[in-house]
Amino acid sequence: MEENMMAGLDQFDPTAALGFDEEYVEYVPPIEKPEDYDAPQVKEEIPAPERIEATFKGMPGNEKLLIHVIDYCRDGKDSVDVHEEIERFVGSGVCTYAPEVICANLVAAGALEMVADQDVADAADVESAELAPAAEEAPEGELEPIGAPPAFSYVATADGLAVVDAQNPEDDRIRFLEEGQRYLPVYKVVLEACASEGGATKKDIDALVDHHPLCAEPRRYSGFFVKGLEGIDAIAFDTTWKTTEIGRELLAGAAFSDNE
Amino acid sequence: MTEPTLEDVLASRVATYRLLSRLFRVEVDQECYDELLSMHFPTGTGNDKVDAGYRGIHHYLATPHPSPLTELAVDYTRTFIGGGNNGYSAAYPFESVYTSPKRLLMQGARDEVLVAYRAAGIDKQASWKDGEDHIALELEFMQVLAGRALNAVHENDEDAAAHHLAEQKAFLEDHLGGWFPMMAKDMHKFSKTEFYRGLADLTSGFLQVDQDFLDDILIDDEAAPVDAAQPLEVTL
């Protein structure tokens, strides 16, 4: 009776393709241990310059801040000062990273080093020297409470400083203007707007750029020009976009005069 | 230096189980971090793993880190949650994973510890959404039983104290002592901070020490009643 009834049903077996024993079918197959699970982990050390480059690429829009932080730590700076300097540098701008995270990323990249304050370093050295022979016969006792988080300084590494020293903003500006020759009239309009009293909002710049004949084909929007000018430090954001001293010099310079 | 009394040892066990349970339960927050900074870490306890564990945690705390709470939170996630789905991508903090062939949650081990909890009149809080065989809950269970044993000793109730200690011995043998060493090995594999590697060593070592203590004390207890005020040979 039962067999006859079964014969009339769909014989589809969803587990057949998985090759389970018909007498012992369970939904979840046994999980095999990966072959390399217990193998020694090979630590591939990526060179610091590559790590620094990857960090800069991974934090787009913060390149100048990262350069500034590394340069600020050229001779070593207390961590608290560095964090305050980052907040000061960001000012009214926007940075999605906390100062501690920016520093942690630069440390991980090998652009900064952390140096414990002398007393902490001494204590750590003594401790590690005492305890280095492992717990062979460690004297019974207690390690002193640490009390407060250890104070430390950041010092720029040679690899980090190499990135800073490779910066040449003057050359960058010349190259920028040469490559953007076609758009010099638009840059000029934007710089003049931002140089006006109170600067220019994005809406103001949109109004100038959107109907400019040079921006019709290929279509260019205000962001293209703002990003370019900000990249060469010609404008900066401070509640509105304002032309910097560098921007004013450029505006008065040969590049824009010749263009008239 | 005076030898610790039974009460001292029991109180120390409660405190250590509480600490371990807290460190496994959730990431280190500011309150916990401040407490760790103010702690005295023992050395020369007589157990290499305990010493190595305390030393690792202390060294991490004494070493500068730009953002220690963030770093520890990241390492907690990397160590206990992981990023894969093959069952071998983290030191999963559940007994079921280490005691079932398919490395699944909510297997027989969870049912067994649930029975043990309920037999002791304990249930998890409604806010706890994970399995009851989580390492933090098993350690907290030991903390509760150790606290009961301590209270019984305070009240000179030797039978109750012996009963609670026997409960702990059984739970340690049947559960924590059996599977945690495997998890400790995985913690070493996946964690990247001295803190969580130290926690693995400390917990492994402490469970060994506690197992020895319970073996000794229960044999002693069977041979002769323990006087709580008398110095004790066992140190933790």
Side-chain angles (χ1 to χ4, degrees), chain A residues 26 28 31 37 141 143 147, chain B residues 37 41 43 55 86 102 186 189:
Chain A
E26 286 190 7
V28 181
I31 298 176
Y37 187 73
L143 297 170
Chain B
L37 290 177
F41 288 87
T43 59
R55 196 167 57 244
N86 66 353
K102 296 173 189 292
D186 281 351
K189 184 179 174 67

Side-chain angles (χ1 to χ4, degrees), chain A residues 83-99:
Chain A
H83 298 159
E84 286 176 359
E85 175 63 15
I86 291 173
E87 286 175 356
R88 188 201 64 74
F89 188 88
V90 172
S92 59
V94 177
C95 179
T96 53
Y97 296 93

Side-chain angles (χ1 to χ4, degrees), chain A residues 24 26 28-34 36-39 41 43 83 100-101 103-104 107 114-117 120 124 127-128 131-132 134-136 138-152 154, chain B residues 1 33-34 36-45 47-48 51-52 54-55 57-68 70 85-90 98 101-104 185-186 188-190 197 235:
Chain A
Y24 185 73
E26 286 190 7
V28 181
I31 298 176
E32 297 295 331
K33 196 174 187 177
D36 61 347
Y37 187 73
D38 291 322
Q41 287 181 304
K43 290 183 180 173
H83 298 159
E100 294 84 358
V101 176
C103 293
V107 169
M114 289 186 302
V115 180
D117 284 359
V120 178
E127 178 197 325
S128 54
L131 300 171
E136 283 178 8
E140 188 174 345
E142 287 176 341
L143 297 170
E144 283 299 307
I146 297 153
F152 63 99
Y154 293 108
Chain B
M1 191 175 185
Y33 182 65
D34 291 342
L36 288 167
L37 290 177
S38 65
M39 268 182 59
H40 288 268
F41 288 87
T43 59
T45 60
N47 183 290
D48 288 352
D51 288 346
Y54 278 130
R55 196 167 57 244
I57 293 172
H58 184 273
H59 192 258
Y60 178 85
L61 296 170
T63 307
H65 299 276
S67 183
T70 304
N85 60 358
N86 66 353
Y88 287 94
S89 300
Y98 287 93
K102 296 173 189 292
R103 293 176 72 83
L104 296 176
K185 196 177 165 192
D186 281 351
H188 273 280
K189 184 179 174 67
F190 291 105
R197 289 176 183 170
T235 56

Side-chain angles (χ1 to χ4, degrees), chain A residues 2 8 42-43 51 56 60 63 65 101-102 114 155 166 169 172 193 196 209 214 243:
Chain A
E2 193 176 347
V42 179
K43 290 183 180 173
R51 298 204 309 270
F56 274 63
E63 294 86 351
L65 172 61
V101 176
I102 290 171
M114 289 186 302
V155 184
D172 290 346
S196 63
V209 169
L214 287 172
T243 302

Side-chain angles (χ1 to χ4, degrees), chain B residues 100-115:
Chain B
S100 66
K102 296 173 189 292
R103 293 176 72 83
L104 296 176
L105 300 173
M106 299 294 204
Q107 302 298 292
R110 179 257 180 183
D111 299 340
E112 288 173 17
V113 299
L114 198 55
V115 168

